[in-house]
Amino acid sequence: MDFEDIPFEEILRKEKMITESLERRKTTKSEKKNSNTSDKLHNDFEKNNEIDKRLKKYGRIVSKNSPMEVSSRRQILPEKLENERNYIRNKHNGSKKHNDPRFNDSCGKLNTDLFQKSYTFLDDIRQEEFNQIKNTLDLYKIMNKSKELGTWSKVKKSSKFKNSDINHFTQDQIDNLKLKYQKLISEKDHRKNLFLRQQTISQHRKQEQAKIESGKKPFFLKRKDVNISIQHDKYKDLNKKQISMLEQKINKKHVSKFKPPNSIRKV
């Protein structure tokens, strides 16, 4: 049978059958590939989960056949249980009685003079630190001035700069030293004020005790009177230069506060 004798419809039918069979083969192949890839992904996912679990438990990857290791880490409790545990712990700790030595007769009375005498070595240490910081800051000022004037090449040959490391100091270190210097000054002033306050109060008490024994009524110092006596004691220790500076400050304050009467004011 020749090709020309075959009808056209039958040729089309055969071509359709061939194309359908080819498409089926392609789909089956693609399905097989997808199934294989999905199985691989699933297996990889399970492996990763197992690895993550082991990492969380042991802190490192461990094989299945390795022996069990007991970790020294404490198990983290949930927030509710932890709060309950802290509450119970604080409740039991609060029941303990603490003794304050200031209000305990067995510790004796506080003697401020003896306390200051026994801890005078701390003042010496603070003074040494204060002098050291002051010297370094003074050298830093001299260095900056000499650099501005152009005489640094001569100044740096002096013994002060040879024995110091001021050249290697950074700006942050200098700023920290300045802050420390100011802190030491304020602490020194505060300690001095406390000492003067205690001294004035103790002197007043001694005087009043003598007056009470003679039959007079006691007179208690006010805070204002204590502050005035402290200022008088400070004023006695000042130099002439410091006194003049203080007077200038006081005059400036008075000038700023002074208000002329209405008759003198300009309309």
Side-chain angles (χ1 to χ4, degrees), residues 192 196 232-239 242-243:
K192 191 177 179 182
L196 290 169
H232 281 302
D233 291 330
K234 281 184 180 179
Y235 191 78
K236 286 175 186 176
D237 297 331
L238 293 173
N239 299 324
Q242 290 174 345
I243 289 163

Side-chain angles (χ1 to χ4, degrees), residues 96-104 106-107:
K96 292 178 183 177
K97 290 182 179 180
H98 300 284
N99 293 321
D100 195 343
R102 293 176 297 173
F103 305 106
N104 197 350
S106 61
C107 297

Side-chain angles (χ1 to χ4, degrees), residues 159-207:
S159 60
K160 289 180 182 178
F161 289 98
K162 282 181 181 179
N163 297 325
S164 66
D165 298 329
I166 195 72
N167 295 324
H168 305 293
F169 275 45
T170 59
Q171 191 62 38
D172 294 330
Q173 288 175 342
I174 296 294
D175 292 334
N176 289 327
L177 281 172
K178 285 178 181 177
L179 288 169
K180 201 171 184 181
Y181 181 71
Q182 291 295 328
K183 190 179 178 182
L184 287 169
I185 288 166
S186 62
E187 285 176 357
K188 194 176 179 181
D189 291 335
H190 181 66
R191 282 194 296 274
K192 191 177 179 182
N193 287 331
L194 284 173
F195 176 72
L196 290 169
R197 190 180 290 277
Q198 288 172 2
Q199 200 173 8
T200 51
I201 290 163
S202 64
Q203 284 176 1
H204 179 74
R205 280 177 182 170
K206 285 176 184 177
Q207 290 172 4

Side-chain angles (χ1 to χ4, degrees), residues 70-85:
V70 179
S71 66
S72 62
R73 292 180 183 176
R74 287 185 179 180
Q75 191 176 2
I76 296 164
L77 293 169
E79 192 175 354
K80 191 177 179 181
L81 288 170
E82 196 171 356
N83 290 329
E84 287 176 0
R85 190 179 68 178

Side-chain angles (χ1 to χ4, degrees), residues 54-262:
R54 286 173 192 168
L55 279 168
K56 283 179 183 177
K57 195 172 183 181
Y58 303 109
R60 58 193 176 84
I61 296 164
V62 183
S63 65
K64 287 181 181 178
N65 300 320
S66 63
M68 288 290 288
E69 293 180 8
V70 179
S71 66
S72 62
R73 292 180 183 176
R74 287 185 179 180
Q75 191 176 2
I76 296 164
L77 293 169
E79 192 175 354
K80 191 177 179 181
L81 288 170
E82 196 171 356
N83 290 329
E84 287 176 0
R85 190 179 68 178
N86 290 329
Y87 173 74
I88 292 159
R89 192 184 290 169
N90 292 326
K91 193 177 179 182
H92 287 297
N93 289 332
S95 62
K96 292 178 183 177
K97 290 182 179 180
H98 300 284
N99 293 321
D100 195 343
R102 293 176 297 173
F103 305 106
N104 197 350
D105 295 330
S106 61
C107 297
K109 291 182 179 179
L110 177 65
N111 192 352
T112 54
D113 295 328
L114 195 140
F115 182 82
Q116 285 170 0
K117 285 174 184 176
S118 56
Y119 287 98
T120 48
F121 68 94
L122 290 172
D123 294 330
D124 297 332
I125 292 162
R126 288 192 196 103
Q127 191 64 37
E128 284 178 5
E129 190 180 3
F130 179 78
N131 292 330
Q132 193 176 359
I133 292 165
K134 190 179 179 183
N135 289 327
T136 51
L137 290 171
D138 290 337
L139 288 171
Y140 182 72
K141 284 178 184 177
I142 292 161
M143 186 178 75
N144 285 332
K145 283 182 181 179
S146 61
K147 281 180 180 178
E148 287 175 1
L149 296 168
T151 58
W152 172 238
S153 59
K154 292 180 182 179
V155 173
K156 70 180 179 182
K157 292 176 183 178
S158 62
S159 60
K160 289 180 182 178
F161 289 98
K162 282 181 181 179
N163 297 325
S164 66
D165 298 329
I166 195 72
N167 295 324
H168 305 293
F169 275 45
T170 59
Q171 191 62 38
D172 294 330
Q173 288 175 342
I174 296 294
D175 292 334
N176 289 327
L177 281 172
K178 285 178 181 177
L179 288 169
K180 201 171 184 181
Y181 181 71
Q182 291 295 328
K183 190 179 178 182
L184 287 169
I185 288 166
S186 62
E187 285 176 357
K188 194 176 179 181
D189 291 335
H190 181 66
R191 282 194 296 274
K192 191 177 179 182
N193 287 331
L194 284 173
F195 176 72
L196 290 169
R197 190 180 290 277
Q198 288 172 2
Q199 200 173 8
T200 51
I201 290 163
S202 64
Q203 284 176 1
H204 179 74
R205 280 177 182 170
K206 285 176 184 177
Q207 290 172 4
E208 289 297 315
Q209 193 68 31
K211 288 178 183 178
I212 288 160
E213 287 174 359
S214 63
K216 290 183 179 179
K217 288 183 179 181
F219 173 73
F220 297 99
L221 267 178
K222 293 179 183 177
R223 193 180 289 176
K224 185 181 176 181
D225 297 328
V226 174
N227 291 329
I228 288 163
S229 64
I230 288 164
Q231 291 296 328
H232 281 302
D233 291 330
K234 281 184 180 179
Y235 191 78
K236 286 175 186 176
D237 297 331
L238 293 173
N239 299 324
K240 288 182 179 179
K241 190 177 180 181
Q242 290 174 345
I243 289 163
S244 64
M245 292 283 284
L246 198 141
E247 285 175 353
Q248 284 176 8
K249 281 183 182 179
I250 290 162
N251 290 327
K252 281 180 183 178
K253 282 182 183 178
H254 283 305
V255 168
S256 63
K257 287 180 181 179
F258 176 71
K259 290 181 181 179
N262 292 323

